[in-house]
Amino acid sequence: MPVSTWTPVGQWTGTVTHDGEVDEYTVAFAPDGSLSVTTRKSTGTGAWTVTGDDSLEFSLREDFNLDVTQISPNGHRAAYIQIDIAARHDGDALTGEGKAVVHGPDDVVIYATDARTEARRVS
């Protein structure tokens, strides 16, 4: 079986949809399998791996900026989100689905939700 030569290495911009909200983000996939993400209210780091000719998985921890008071849908203050996504690429487009688990300042899980993402590679 041939080995895929495709990688997501580079910068992408996209949106993630969850709980009726749409948030914009920028993600940079590094050659070493790490990633970094920024939104208007958070930053995060994680890892990615290609899982097939047209698929990849990535996982990241997204910390809310200190000047942001993020309240979860169940009314608790959120400190960070652990996000796990399985995605497929089609040319310069990525689409994926996964889970977002929201943690409070004390590390306790306060909420979990489904997330869907769409992104495009930045030239």
Side-chain angles (χ1 to χ4, degrees):
M1 175 162 99
V3 174
S4 175
T5 59
W6 179 85
T7 73
V9 171
Q11 188 171 0
W12 300 70
T13 60
T15 58
V16 61
T17 304
H18 60 91
D19 301 314
E21 294 182 31
V22 178
D23 295 315
E24 295 180 357
Y25 67 88
T26 301
V27 62
F29 292 97
D32 66 358
S34 66
L35 66 85
S36 61
V37 66
T38 55
T39 76
R40 99 183 139 73
K41 57 187 172 183
S42 64
T43 59
T45 58
W48 64 269
T49 185
V50 170
T51 56
D53 288 340
D54 65 349
S55 60
L56 73 147
E57 292 178 350
F58 56 95
S59 178
L60 65 121
R61 176 180 161 148
E62 184 180 327
D63 292 287
F64 289 105
N65 298 340
L66 294 177
D67 64 338
V68 172
T69 301
Q70 183 69 29
I71 305 299
S72 71
N74 61 4
H76 295 90
R77 187 168 198 282
Y80 69 93
I81 306 170
Q82 180 63 44
I83 302 168
D84 295 293
I85 299 286
R88 295 183 105 41
H89 81 91
D90 182 8
D92 286 339
L94 281 177
T95 58
E97 295 181 356
K99 281 282 186 205
V101 180
V102 181
H103 297 256
D106 56 2
D107 266 352
V108 172
V109 173
I110 58 175
Y111 186 75
T113 189
D114 294 327
R116 177 163 172 70
T117 187
E118 298 179 4
R120 292 224 168 263
R121 189 184 298 265
V122 176
S123 304

